[in-house]
Amino acid sequence: MRELTCGRVCTAGTPGYDAKGGAARCLRASDMAIQEHPTSPGLDTGPPAHVKPLVEIVGGRGGVSLAGLGELWRFREVLWAFVLRGVKARYRQAVFGIGWAVIQPVLAAALFAVFLGRFAKVSSAGIPYLLSAQAGMTAWTFFSSGASASAASLVANQSMLKKIYFPREILPLSSIVASLLDLAIGLVVVVVAAALYGDYPSLAYLALPLPLVVLVLTAAMFGLGLSAVNVYYRDVGYAMPFILQIGIFATPVAYPVTVVPEAIRTWYLILNPLAATIDGIRRIVILGDWPAWGPTLAALAWVSILAALAYALFKRLERGLSDRV
């Protein structure tokens, strides 16, 4: 005959306790009924039709592993599907559609140029203020929109977390990848505007991926870390706008890096990777010069460490996400 077991932990006083063969098992009432009325020897009738199979999913310790990274790669098509969904949802039923990727940074740069450049006489380090602000706003718009959407991604898709299995980091990462479209369009606008001012593409454009990698890693670092914490503490959703308001003034979006005292400028570029990013874009696109290699590479190393720590935090908190949302 066939004995069916379930996943409960049983002791000697538990109904249905069975210790045959040296292995303690806990049998359901329907299973015990089968034992009481055995069938012919050698005949396996299987479980009754009304008994559903029991599947037990046990979570691991949590943490970064090669298996987890390999699983993320196997689910790359799911990541791409979320990216497409994010892009479509962002501009659905919008009159200007993808044009908002141009309108937002251009209008913000124009306001900075009028009130800070003309009225407040803020320095722009010898380059047209409108062009300088446009380069800064393009990078900042990508970071703020990508990091905000990424931090809220798990809470916004909480019903999906309870029904479908996929690597949870796909949700915050897809928000960052979806924002790359806006970044690409914004950079094209900056390049065209620089050409109108007489600053044409040069050999220095070969170094443009370096500050862009720093920018994407910074957004991913914020998105991964805050998205997991946001599930446990919803204060993140309230604090995020305040953090971004402080960040736009702590980052050289509306002013050049030369405003920062030279004694601390190098550390400022390293510890604030967005500052190194914006300074690099201005140097490459507007001035036709190479980025500041030392601070930019140091900022890349620094943000890589922070991104790795954020990913480790996410994987550590991932085990309880489905129970917390």
Side-chain angles (χ1 to χ4, degrees):
M1 64 148 289
R2 185 176 183 179
E3 296 177 353
L4 303 178
T5 63
C6 70
R8 291 181 293 162
V9 178
C10 303
T11 59
T14 305
Y17 177 80
D18 179 26
K20 286 183 180 180
R25 288 170 291 185
C26 178
L27 306 181
R28 290 178 287 203
S30 59
D31 303 335
M32 290 188 286
I34 297 175
Q35 284 186 316
E36 293 173 0
H37 303 282
T39 57
S40 301
L43 179 61
D44 187 359
T45 60
H50 66 278
V51 178
K52 296 181 179 180
L54 182 65
V55 179
E56 182 180 4
I57 300 177
V58 180
R61 295 184 301 110
V64 181
S65 64
L66 292 178
L69 295 176
E71 185 181 47
L72 183 60
W73 171 252
R74 290 193 298 273
F75 278 82
R76 60 188 181 278
E77 294 183 0
V78 177
L79 172 63
W80 180 244
F82 276 111
V83 170
L84 293 180
R85 189 192 70 159
V87 172
K88 293 177 181 179
R90 179 175 302 180
Y91 300 109
R92 182 180 300 163
Q93 296 181 342
V95 176
F96 295 103
I98 199 69
W100 282 109
V102 178
I103 296 173
Q104 287 180 328
V106 169
L107 285 181
L111 289 175
F112 283 143
V114 172
F115 290 98
L116 297 181
R118 181 173 295 273
F119 296 160
K121 304 298 181 182
V122 175
S123 171
S124 59
I127 60 178
Y129 188 92
L130 178 61
L131 195 56
S132 175
Q134 176 65 26
M137 279 305 304
T138 297
W140 179 260
T141 301
F142 163 78
F143 169 76
S144 61
S145 62
S148 298
S150 182
S153 60
L154 295 179
V155 174
N157 295 277
Q158 53 185 306
S159 60
M160 191 176 300
L161 294 180
K162 297 179 179 180
K163 297 178 181 178
I164 307 173
Y165 175 76
F166 55 88
R168 302 316 191 197
E169 58 267 36
I170 281 181
L171 286 174
L173 290 178
S174 65
S175 299
I176 302 297
V177 178
S179 298
L180 287 175
L181 177 61
D182 293 358
L183 176 62
I185 295 174
L187 285 175
V188 171
V189 174
V190 174
V191 171
V192 173
L196 294 177
Y197 277 96
D199 301 314
Y200 298 102
S202 64
L203 192 61
Y205 271 62
L206 295 175
L208 187 58
L210 177 59
L212 295 182
V213 168
V214 176
L215 176 61
V216 173
L217 281 177
T218 305
M221 177 264 294
F222 269 89
L224 278 174
L226 293 181
S227 63
V229 176
N230 190 31
V231 173
Y232 289 81
Y233 305 100
R234 301 301 168 88
D235 307 76
V236 173
Y238 298 99
M240 196 65 184
F242 179 66
I243 294 174
L244 294 176
Q245 288 177 358
I246 295 177
I248 196 171
F249 292 103
T251 303
V253 175
Y255 55 87
V257 176
T258 54
V259 171
V260 180
E262 189 174 359
I264 63 172
R265 191 178 304 164
T266 299
W267 284 108
Y268 171 71
L269 291 172
I270 295 174
L271 298 179
N272 184 358
L274 292 176
T277 294
I278 294 175
D279 180 63
I281 293 175
R282 286 171 177 161
R283 285 171 176 263
I284 295 171
V285 177
I286 302 175
L287 299 178
D289 196 6
W290 299 98
W293 292 109
T296 305
L297 291 174
L300 175 61
W302 170 242
V303 76
S304 298
I305 295 173
L306 293 180
L309 293 176
Y311 183 61
L313 173 65
F314 183 94
K315 298 300 290 185
R316 189 63 180 174
L317 299 177
E318 181 183 28
R319 183 179 182 183
L321 293 181
S322 299
D323 298 327
R324 293 280 185 164
V325 293

